[in-house]
Amino acid sequence: MKILILYFSGTGNTQFIASKVNDELEKLEFEVELVSVEKFMPENTNKFDVIIIGYPIYACDMPLFLQDYMNNLTLPSTKKVIMFSTMGFYEGNASRKIFRRFREIGLEPIHFERIKMPGSDGLVFLKKDSKIIKKLLAINYNKSEKINRAVDNIVNKVQTLTAEKIPTIKYGGLVLGGLMDVTFKLIEGKFKKKFWVDDKCIKCHLCETICPAKNITVTEDKVNFSDKCYLCMRCINQCPTEAIQIGSKTKDKFRWKGPSGNYKPIK
């Protein structure tokens, strides 16, 4: 059985989980391909029997650009898909919405996992020596019971391939999810206009090469941020000199390099 693990990861959280799932499936001698959506054409998914898709939660849903990507997926032979999401605060009814979205394009969702991880969007506003940051850095994410349980659940589902019911909608999740969606869009619109670089910028072009939205252009004179930003926070967290800022509140603040502390995004 051929398995595709397809993921998007802005700051390393989703990639971390995807890699752990890949390692466990390889131990069981499954034929597995682990790849980012940034390097995989969606029409090639028909070459696999099962697709495992990982994504971060933005405003209680899958990121908008991934929704467009999904619409171009070709169906695997079994039509089966397993979903997992990483989130910093709250998922709302994202699983239910995404569950239905997959069914609309002809896929059969058979399992989903929600995995709480450090919220990389908010961390860049915290002091490096804050209690929250110290607590997050003290965690051994490889040995986290919750993370390993979620990974085991995914692996077990691959072995059984039995379907599950669509998640039940919760009124509280519906209301909070709607409010968060509106709030995130307002914040997103505001933050997109506040990216800039300070005098620590060395024009290394890293931000330009790793931006999944192709939103950044580096010239000899300046760094330009366009209006196509996903707000994935990859550039600000990966800048080697911490020169990229959002307004004035992120200067000399914490930068997240993924659960292992060494996340290197695709160029």
Side-chain angles (χ1 to χ4, degrees), residues 138-205:
I139 297 172
N140 185 334
Y141 294 93
N142 277 306
K143 294 184 177 180
S144 165
E145 289 186 10
K146 290 183 178 180
I147 289 175
N148 289 331
R149 188 182 310 120
V151 170
D152 287 344
N153 289 342
I154 293 170
V155 171
N156 291 337
K157 183 54 64 171
V158 170
Q159 293 177 295
T160 62
L161 294 183
T162 54
E164 297 176 1
K165 293 181 179 179
I166 189 169
T168 303
I169 193 166
K170 298 178 181 179
Y171 182 72
L174 179 64
V175 173
L176 184 54
L179 289 173
M180 287 188 67
D181 182 48
V182 173
T183 302
F184 184 84
K185 286 177 180 176
L186 290 173
I187 293 173
E188 183 182 50
K190 184 178 180 181
F191 278 7
K192 281 181 180 180
K193 300 175 183 178
K194 292 197 170 187
F195 277 82
W196 64 288
V197 295
D198 61 26
D199 55 9
K200 296 194 297 291
C201 178
I202 57 175
K203 304 295 190 303
C204 67
H205 291 261

Side-chain angles (χ1 to χ4, degrees), residues 45-48 51 73-79 105-107:
T45 46
N46 60 349
K47 300 176 183 178
F48 298 85
I51 308 173
L73 293 178
T74 52
L75 303 184
S77 58
T78 62
K79 298 185 179 180
I105 62 175
L107 286 165

